[in-house]
Amino acid sequence: MKIIIFGCGKIGTTIIQSLSGEGHDIVAMDKEPSVVEEVTNLYDVMGLCSLGVDSESMTEAGIEDAELFVAVTGSDELNMLACFLAKKMGAKHTIARIRTPEYNDQSLGLMKQHLDIDLALNPDLLASHEIFNILSFPLASKVETFSGRNLEIVELVLGENFPFVGMKLVDLRKNYNGAFLVCVVVRDGKVFIPDGNFELRAGDRIGVTASHADMQKLMKNVGLPQKKPSSVMILGASRMCYYLAKKLISIGTKVKVVDADKGMCEAFSKKVPSATMIVGDGMQPEVLIEEGISDVDAFVALTGSDEVNVLSSFFAKGQNVPTVISKVNRAELAQTAEKLGLGSMVSPQKSVSNVLSRYARALHNSIGSNVETLYKMFDGKAEVLEFNVRSDFKYCGIPLREITLKSNTLVAGIIRGRKPIIPSGNDEILEGDKVIVMTAGHVLLDLSDIIAQ
Amino acid sequence: MNRKIVFNITGKLLEALAFILLLPMVVSIIYREGEFLSFLIAAAVSFIIGFVLVMFTKNCKKDLYAREGFLIVSLAWISASLIGSLPFVLSGEIPSFFDAFFETVSGFTTTGASVVTDLSSLSHGTLFWRSFTHWIGGMGVLVFAVAFIGNLSDKAIHILRAEMPGPVVGKIVPRAKDTSKVLYFMYFFITLVQVILLWLGDMNLFEALIHTFGTAGTGGFGIKGDSIASYSAYSQWIITAFMLIFGINFNLYYLVLIKRFKAILKSTELRTYLGIAIVSVVIITLNINSAFPSFSDAIRAAAFQVSSIMTTTGFATSDFNLWPNLSKTVLLILMFVGACAGSTAGGLKVSRVVILFKMGLREIKRMIHPRSVGSVKFEGKEVDEHTKSSITTYFAVYMMCFFAILFLLSFEKAPFDFETNFSAVAACFNNIGPGFGLVGPMGSYAQYSEFSKILLSFAMLFGRLEIFPLLIALIPSTWRRK
């Protein structure tokens, strides 16, 4: 499939990385020659330097036969204009990054309709959803939901004292009543899709699927009670902070925002009056201590600088804040921070690239059993996908134990109607179901792709 | 530095080369010649070495960057030349290893300089192999590998960049593999057209193939001592036209393929290329007219020679060594200019010459008006600083290499005079083939000493790979792991 990416910043590069890995033909456009050169050096894509949105460079990029045009430059207006022009010149689908809150809140629908934009991406909004999920599930380092919260997948890090440690998965199911499934384990950077004889060890990162209620029960059983945070401290009055603060306030959480820039704080407090605004440097421990960091339920670092986010998060961890989340853009820094013990990290690029991978796969496969949702877990090493089962799926009504799946692939959940099922060998997939599949190392476009050939 | 992938890809290339070597073997078998055995042995050797290399580097990481790209290209070209010279030595048709190496390098680099004095003594299989190296080397050994060998690497663009000539190497379609395939497809198609056209004339299929390979790769190996002179005017005109066609940037043919004709007509490089060719033909025609029986003969000889030299092919229809001084000087200048970037031709490339010329003008203007601001434009776009500096650097290094080689070649004693040596270096370094004096179109490189033959072989490799890849491979620190 031919995809044109306009704008090769952080987001653009992440998109290029994930899409070129999935085998699409990509043309990368940017106004900066050095950026284009860098991208073509790193990925197997065609680079094109163009100063702005002009029909000539669009033609050169081959817009007439492009399936997808993605505009992710730093400017919302340029993105919208580029998408508009791309659509007029023949691109089949267009995606624009629109992140200014004013555009998003009031006029997004109108603009999308009139400019004929198929999808508006707001990385800050996506990442804030992700953070919100983690906050409402404080012990998990990541929570993803399927089919409107019916089924959840939770990422947990097994500490030394975690009750699961040393147990085989078959025993796990016996000891803890309730329907849940350990569907993926990451050990020493390697991803395993485990079978019943797999023994869990301390330090493993695991993914567990269960319905929301069962998940709560399980957490209670293992001695991890769940409660929503009553107070959250956020560092950096960024756009992401705006969306997160609004969401948290709407569920009654107290929000305190710390930012060094007075102007930013004032502007923020006009938009979100119920948040407490503190002008102060988040890198100074006194400021954070004075504002009561040791008493908050969660600390979220969302400044523009990865370093500040990571360091202040370590400080918060040292102050025994139960949940610490930091925004880290650079993947290599995230890996190092994780090794040093920082649990939850969120990157807007990752969220965007999840959405785009899903969108591209759905386009690729408009007839069969579509990809409904797609999450990349553990730095993209594993993927969880939700498929709609259509009538053309050949294995409808056959018990799962009679179907041979590809290696490292697992049916992690079935949603029938609104009822989630954690599947055993006797369960079967029916038409109209939603099926959650966990896979490592395969690119799945259709539900039939899970079957071993 | 990922050394393993360098050996891995070189190994895969040698495996592919083994299969390519079976082609001349088939030709030998068709003509019932005993030489087929030497091709079979060479193919076996190539396959075994390649297989061992691949086996030892099976689990290599697929990462590669500019540095690995340069090394792969240098290593691949040198090893392909070594293996490619085996059939000549084994069959005893070119018994000296140095001669055989010179001949093979000359083939792969599409130079067409020969050490063989009597071509009629060579078997059909050997003649075919000699010319087929032109065809493969013209578009590129590694472009071939990237296009047709499984999944080499995601970052094959670095290999293509190191191998393909010209100041800026871009893709024509998003993926390196597809780009290589499209290039070879177009290359194959134009080759096929020429074979048919020549076959329709006074050449038999074998001759048509040989001369098309020589034209397509802009190489210049033929099968007769007097090159193309004894063929009909029709064949000569066909070859003239196709030499010019293969000297054009292949990206432009892709534009034909996707029906964007306007962009082709706008190309500065193409216009300049054709302009230089026409002006040169006019000058030479007027200059040599009196020596030819008719005006049409003169214009045909001039057009043939201009396109042969400018595209760095090296075919000849008459002994231009005997032409007047003016014509010879024009040809010598054309040797350096070369044809378009992104073609199969050698030389400095028209695009570099145009940009250098414009930069010169720009600099003069800046001297007169020190505060003036301006940019250098090429193909409708501003040339960025990086490209500009790489072009000037290339030109400087090119000149230095040229004179270094000339200096080393000057140790040759009589009968080699200055004209012979100078034109020999120019002809080898720019991948043309014949020069003036003793190495003129009717002469050969056979008389040079073994040292000079190795020197000139490397001059050809330097010229084909545009100096830097080989130069980088020769620096020991490149190979260090850290």
Side-chain angles (χ1 to χ4, degrees):
Chain A
M1 191 163 80
K2 185 163 183 186
I3 300 175
I4 300 175
I5 313 279
F6 183 56
C8 301
K10 282 184 286 193
I11 300 256
T13 317
T14 318
I15 294 172
I16 290 168
Q17 185 183 13
S18 76
L19 291 184
S20 72
E22 289 182 21
H24 298 291
D25 286 350
I26 294 172
V27 180
M29 293 168 79
D30 199 285
K31 66 173 187 295
E32 204 59 56
S34 58
V35 173
V36 176
E37 202 185 317
E38 182 71 19
V39 168
T40 52
N41 279 341
L42 287 175
Y43 310 107
D44 198 3
V45 300
M46 183 157 100
L48 199 68
C49 191
S50 89
L51 285 174
V53 191
D54 58 303
S55 59
E56 200 174 329
S57 40
M58 289 275 201
T59 315
E60 210 178 328
I63 193 81
E64 315 94 64
D65 53 356
E67 292 278 335
L68 184 58
F69 179 88
V70 184
V72 281
T73 67
S75 148
D76 287 352
E77 293 78 7
L78 189 59
N79 292 342
M80 290 192 267
L81 186 63
C83 278
F84 176 69
L85 193 65
K87 202 49 160 293
K88 290 274 174 263
M89 290 182 72
K92 293 213 180 61
H93 300 267
T94 53
I95 297 181
R97 167 162 88 165
I98 301 172
R99 54 179 183 177
T100 311
E102 287 73 18
Y103 291 158
N104 268 289
D105 295 348
Q106 290 110 29
S107 44
L108 190 64
L110 193 70
M111 284 193 306
K112 266 173 72 177
Q113 188 195 342
H114 285 284
L115 295 173
D116 209 357
I117 296 170
D118 294 292
L119 181 69
L121 277 182
N122 187 347
D124 299 315
L125 187 63
L126 289 170
S128 75
H129 279 307
E130 204 177 320
I131 296 172
F132 184 75
N133 275 344
I134 303 173
L135 285 178
S136 48
F137 228 123
L139 286 152
S141 56
K142 208 162 240 181
V143 183
E144 316 280 16
T145 58
F146 295 97
S147 187
R149 312 224 82 170
N150 276 328
L151 198 75
E152 290 174 341
I153 182 159
V154 169
E155 208 179 299
L156 294 169
V157 183
L158 301 190
E160 292 285 341
N161 305 321
F162 204 89
F164 287 5
V165 170
M167 287 169 85
K168 285 191 176 172
L169 295 187
V170 262
D171 305 327
L172 204 64
R173 199 104 182 235
K174 282 179 206 151
N175 289 5
Y176 295 96
N177 244 334
F180 69 94
L181 183 68
V182 176
C183 55
V184 61
V185 178
V186 177
R187 182 176 293 167
D188 304 327
K190 269 193 195 143
V191 178
F192 300 90
I193 306 288
D195 59 8
N197 293 318
F198 197 93
E199 194 182 302
L200 295 172
R201 283 192 220 146
D204 285 352
R205 287 165 67 192
I206 62 171
V208 182
T209 44
S211 68
H212 186 71
D214 282 327
M215 191 69 83
Q216 299 282 358
K217 228 194 289 174
L218 176 70
M219 292 297 143
K220 208 185 255 168
N221 283 345
V222 294
L224 304 173
Q226 299 289 317
K227 63 169 184 157
K228 298 228 159 118
S230 64
S231 64
V232 175
M233 184 186 277
I234 305 175
L235 197 63
S238 56
R239 283 194 200 101
M240 211 190 291
C241 174
Y242 164 75
Y243 293 117
L244 181 63
K246 267 188 25 177
K247 272 191 103 126
L248 287 171
I249 286 164
S250 71
I251 60 160
T253 306
K254 272 195 277 177
V255 175
K256 193 175 267 180
V257 180
V258 181
D259 197 295
D261 189 312
K262 197 170 175 223
M264 289 283 274
C265 285
E266 279 166 359
F268 195 93
S269 94
K270 271 177 208 151
K271 284 192 283 188
V272 192
S274 27
T276 313
M277 297 304 301
I278 308 293
V279 182
D281 183 358
M283 287 298 271
Q284 283 181 337
E286 306 86 63
V287 176
L288 298 180
I289 290 170
E290 193 186 327
E291 289 309 322
I293 189 167
S294 45
D295 302 324
V296 295
D297 292 331
F299 177 83
V300 186
L302 300 178
T303 69
S305 145
D306 282 355
E307 290 82 355
V308 170
N309 293 343
V310 169
L311 288 174
S312 58
S313 298
F314 274 118
F315 177 72
K317 270 214 116 128
Q319 298 293 316
N320 294 323
V321 179
T323 306
V324 177
I325 303 169
S326 33
K327 178 187 115 182
V328 183
N329 281 323
R330 296 210 303 271
E332 63 277 9
L333 191 60
Q335 275 166 18
T336 316
E338 198 177 320
K339 269 189 204 134
L340 291 170
L342 211 56
S344 297
M345 264 161 294
V346 170
S347 111
Q349 290 104 289
K350 287 265 167 62
S351 321
V352 169
S353 97
N354 283 348
V355 172
L356 261 166
S357 292
R358 184 183 77 222
Y359 197 90
R361 282 189 212 180
L363 281 186
H364 208 276
N365 185 46
S366 51
I367 323 140
S369 301
N370 269 342
V371 180
E372 180 86 352
T373 324
L374 177 150
Y375 296 115
K376 293 188 181 189
M377 298 183 76
F378 307 113
D379 309 320
K381 283 177 191 142
E383 282 179 2
V384 218
L385 302 101
E386 180 180 347
F387 291 99
N388 278 324
V389 183
R390 303 265 175 89
S391 54
D392 57 352
F393 182 64
K394 286 188 193 126
Y395 296 84
C396 282
I398 299 173
L400 285 176
R401 73 185 123 79
E402 286 170 26
I403 305 175
T404 322
L405 299 184
K406 276 185 181 153
S407 62
N408 274 349
T409 303
L410 180 87
V411 176
I414 299 171
I415 299 167
R416 189 162 296 153
R418 294 181 61 83
K419 194 175 139 249
I421 300 167
I422 298 298
S424 67
N426 299 323
D427 286 305
E428 48 200 33
I429 295 171
L430 297 178
E431 191 189 334
D433 284 355
K434 288 181 163 127
V435 175
I436 318 287
V437 175
M438 184 85 201
T439 183
H442 302 288
V443 174
L444 305 179
L445 295 172
D446 190 281
L447 186 57
S448 320
D449 291 345
I450 65 171
I451 311 295
Q453 297 302 326
Chain B
M1 166 70 215
N2 187 352
R3 268 191 255 183
K4 274 191 173 171
I5 189 125
V6 176
F7 291 112
N8 184 280
I9 292 184
T10 311
K12 282 181 180 162
L13 181 83
L14 289 181
E15 287 180 352
L17 187 64
F19 289 101
I20 295 173
L21 274 163
L22 297 180
L23 275 176
M25 188 187 83
V26 171
V27 174
S28 275
I29 292 172
I30 291 171
Y31 283 93
R32 298 173 194 287
E33 292 164 340
E35 280 78 10
F36 81 90
L37 201 63
S38 47
F39 290 111
L40 191 63
I41 297 170
V45 170
S46 185
F47 190 82
I48 291 166
I49 297 177
F51 186 75
V52 169
L53 279 177
V54 172
M55 204 174 63
F56 274 107
T57 56
K58 215 173 205 167
N59 299 321
C60 66
K61 283 190 208 147
K62 292 270 180 188
D63 287 359
L64 67 90
Y65 301 94
R67 176 155 69 157
E68 282 83 0
F70 288 135
L71 292 182
I72 289 167
V73 167
S74 320
L75 204 64
W77 276 76
I78 292 173
S79 51
S81 302
L82 287 172
I83 299 276
S85 54
L86 279 181
F88 297 126
V89 181
L90 289 172
S91 65
E93 290 186 282
I94 305 177
S96 152
F97 172 74
F98 295 99
D99 285 358
F101 184 70
F102 182 93
E103 198 76 6
T104 318
V105 171
S106 169
F108 275 124
T109 58
T110 72
T111 307
S114 182
V115 289
V116 181
T117 40
D118 181 18
L119 285 170
S120 58
S121 68
L122 296 183
S123 69
H124 285 86
T126 306
L127 283 172
F128 182 88
W129 174 236
R130 224 168 65 111
S131 292
F132 196 67
T133 51
H134 277 337
W135 196 78
I136 289 288
M139 189 47 78
V141 180
L142 284 150
V143 178
F144 181 83
V146 171
F148 300 110
I149 302 178
N151 183 19
L152 278 190
S153 166
D154 291 347
K155 293 177 181 164
I157 182 67
H158 293 290
I159 306 178
L160 298 189
R161 257 191 218 149
E163 191 178 48
M164 285 159 73
V168 186
V169 174
K171 294 178 181 170
I172 47 181
V173 288
R175 281 177 216 232
K177 195 177 175 68
D178 296 341
T179 299
S180 317
K181 274 189 188 159
V182 169
L183 285 173
Y184 257 96
F185 167 75
M186 298 187 294
Y187 190 47
F188 181 81
F189 180 75
I190 307 177
T191 305
L192 191 69
V193 172
Q194 194 194 350
V195 171
I196 293 168
L197 287 176
L198 285 181
W199 200 13
L200 290 175
D202 59 338
M203 291 189 187
N204 62 31
L205 180 61
F206 182 74
E207 288 171 310
L209 279 171
I210 295 288
H211 291 110
T212 305
F213 292 153
T215 316
T218 65
F221 279 149
I223 52 170
K224 294 193 177 177
D226 59 359
S227 192
I228 311 292
S230 56
Y231 291 102
S232 66
Y234 164 80
S235 298
Q236 292 183 6
W237 276 119
I238 292 288
I239 293 179
T240 306
F242 275 89
M243 284 191 292
L244 281 174
I245 286 171
F246 281 107
I248 293 171
N249 194 333
F250 272 67
N251 291 1
L252 295 185
Y253 296 129
Y254 182 69
L255 294 180
V256 175
L257 223 57
I258 57 171
K259 301 193 180 83
R260 282 177 48 200
F261 303 106
K262 239 192 228 164
I264 304 167
L265 297 176
K266 271 197 239 163
S267 163
T268 320
E269 187 175 30
L270 180 65
R271 287 177 170 191
T272 320
Y273 169 68
L274 295 176
I276 295 174
I278 291 166
V279 170
S280 309
V281 171
V282 170
I283 295 174
I284 294 179
T285 311
L286 296 175
N287 191 234
I288 61 171
N289 192 19
S290 56
F292 281 82
S294 71
F295 184 72
S296 74
D297 283 342
I299 199 165
R300 191 176 72 234
F304 188 93
Q305 223 47 66
V306 164
S307 67
S308 166
I309 295 295
M310 189 172 183
T311 62
T312 72
T313 309
F315 280 139
T317 52
S318 61
D319 191 355
F320 56 81
N321 209 8
L322 307 172
W323 287 3
N325 196 27
L326 173 65
S327 301
K328 280 167 83 173
T329 310
V330 171
L331 291 179
L332 186 73
I333 295 170
L334 291 181
M335 281 189 181
F336 284 92
V337 173
C340 302
S343 69
T344 61
L348 263 176
K349 309 286 174 314
V350 174
S351 56
R352 283 208 184 88
V353 174
V354 171
I355 294 173
L356 279 171
F357 182 75
K358 287 189 174 176
M359 283 170 72
L361 285 184
R362 166 82 203 104
E363 207 50 45
I364 291 168
K365 199 178 163 199
R366 213 201 312 258
M367 282 172 177
I368 303 169
H369 308 283
R371 287 186 184 79
S372 71
V373 178
S375 61
V376 175
K377 281 199 163 179
F378 184 66
E379 305 291 13
K381 278 185 189 162
E382 193 186 334
V383 183
D384 63 77
E385 282 305 316
H386 179 76
T387 311
K388 276 196 272 187
S389 83
S390 83
I391 289 174
T392 43
T393 316
Y394 180 75
F395 184 67
V397 176
Y398 173 90
M399 282 329 253
M400 282 189 253
C401 281
F402 181 85
F403 285 109
I405 297 165
L406 181 60
F407 171 73
L408 290 173
L409 194 67
S410 306
F411 286 91
E412 286 283 348
K413 295 198 178 62
F416 295 100
D417 54 4
F418 178 72
E419 186 191 18
T420 303
N421 281 343
F422 189 90
S423 66
V425 178
C428 286
F429 198 38
N430 294 317
N431 300 136
I432 294 147
F436 301 119
L438 292 171
V439 295
M442 307 301 151
S444 90
Y445 287 76
Q447 293 181 64
Y448 273 112
S449 67
E450 284 175 351
F451 168 76
S452 299
K453 278 173 189 158
I454 290 291
L455 180 72
L456 289 174
S457 301
F458 273 89
M460 293 187 260
L461 280 172
F462 269 102
R464 171 60 179 82
L465 300 179
E466 303 211 314
I467 304 171
F468 290 114
L470 262 189
L471 213 54
I472 288 163
L474 290 174
I475 299 170
S477 70
T478 319
W479 290 88
R480 264 177 226 139
R481 209 163 293 205
K482 282 163 194 166

